[in-house]
Amino acid sequence: MKFKLTSPFGELSEVRNGHPHSGIDLAMPEDTILRSIDKGIVEKVIYNGEKIGNGIIIRLEDGTKAIYGHLNKITVEKGQELYAGQQIGLSGSTGRSTGPHLHFALQKSDGSFIDPTPLGEKVAAMSGEIKGSSILLDKLNDFSDFVIGKEVEWIFKPLLDGVKWTAINLGEWIIINLPDIVGYTAVGAGIIVILSTMLGKGILKPLGWFFGVFIIATCILGGANT
C-alpha cells in the first residue's frame, strides 16, 4: 500500500476512550493531496471538530457517506458536486490526533459505520501525487464539468421546456377545435368527391355542380355568421 495502515477498523485504544475505531487511519505526511474516492456531493464541512479536526463528509451516489478527517486544508464547500478523483483538501493532524494521518470512514444512511478497509488501497492510491496528474488536468476537469452543467442549464432545459409547452398547447388547441376539424375534414372530402363527379358525364355532373355550390355557399355563410 502507498501509505501505511496504522489503525484498523474496530480497533480499541485509549486515545478513543475505549470506543471502537469507526474507520481506518493511513499515515501520510502533512499536506498530502486528498481526492474524492468517487462521485458525490459534499454534505458537510467540519472545522476544528473535537475528534476529526477539519473534516469533509461526502455523500456518494449510493447514499453512503465517505468521511475524511484531520485535514490541514479543505478545498471544497458544502453542496459542491464532485467527480471521482477530484481534489478535496490536504492531509494533516488536526483534532484528536497523535501524528499526521488521514482518518477515512464509511457511514451508512442509518448512521452505522461499515469497514472501509477494502477501499483502503484505493484511497491510498488516490492520495498524494499521481503519475501523469497535474493541476492543469484538475482545472480542465473542473472546466468540463462547468461547461456540461451550463449546456444543460442554457440549452437542453429551455429546449425541453419549449417542446413540453408546445405539446401541451397543441393538445389543448386540438381538443377545443376538434368539432371544427372533423367538420371541415368531412366538407373537404365531400368537395373532392363532388368535384370528381363534376368531371363525369350524365346526370351525375349537374348533381355534382349543385352540391358543390351548396357546400361552398354554406361554408361562406357559416363563416360570416361566426
Side-chain angles (χ1 to χ4, degrees), residues 149 151-169:
E151 283 180 348
V152 173
E153 179 182 352
W154 292 347
I155 300 175
F156 293 107
K157 188 177 185 300
L159 181 61
L160 290 175
D161 289 342
V163 171
K164 181 179 178 181
W165 181 87
T166 302
I168 292 174
N169 284 274

Side-chain angles (χ1 to χ4, degrees), residues 37-111:
I37 191 71
D38 209 338
K39 293 175 63 177
I41 298 176
V42 179
E43 184 167 287
K44 189 175 183 180
V45 174
I46 302 169
Y47 289 101
N48 302 316
E50 180 183 354
K51 295 181 179 180
I52 67 172
N54 300 327
I56 304 171
I57 299 178
I58 301 172
R59 179 163 46 85
L60 305 178
E61 290 187 314
D62 64 356
T64 304
K65 298 177 183 179
I67 303 172
Y68 296 75
H70 308 301
L71 279 64
N72 262 356
K73 183 178 181 181
I74 295 173
T75 57
V76 293
E77 58 185 19
K78 182 179 179 180
Q80 182 175 340
E81 295 186 6
L82 305 175
Y83 57 81
Q86 182 171 345
Q87 182 175 333
I88 58 174
L90 303 176
S91 67
S93 187
T94 58
R96 189 180 299 173
S97 172
T98 57
H101 73 283
L102 168 67
H103 169 79
F104 178 75
L106 292 176
Q107 188 177 31
K108 296 169 62 177
S109 57
D110 62 5

Side-chain angles (χ1 to χ4, degrees), residues 80-151:
Q80 182 175 340
E81 295 186 6
L82 305 175
Y83 57 81
Q86 182 171 345
Q87 182 175 333
I88 58 174
L90 303 176
S91 67
S93 187
T94 58
R96 189 180 299 173
S97 172
T98 57
H101 73 283
L102 168 67
H103 169 79
F104 178 75
L106 292 176
Q107 188 177 31
K108 296 169 62 177
S109 57
D110 62 5
S112 61
F113 289 91
I114 55 179
D115 187 359
T117 305
L119 290 178
E121 186 73 44
K122 184 177 180 180
V123 173
M126 295 177 73
S127 302
E129 295 297 330
I130 300 177
K131 186 177 181 180
S133 69
S134 66
I135 296 177
L136 177 60
L137 181 59
D138 288 339
K139 295 298 182 184
L140 287 175
N141 285 331
D142 288 338
F143 179 72
S144 65
D145 286 349
F146 171 80
V147 170
I148 292 173
K150 292 305 178 185
E151 283 180 348

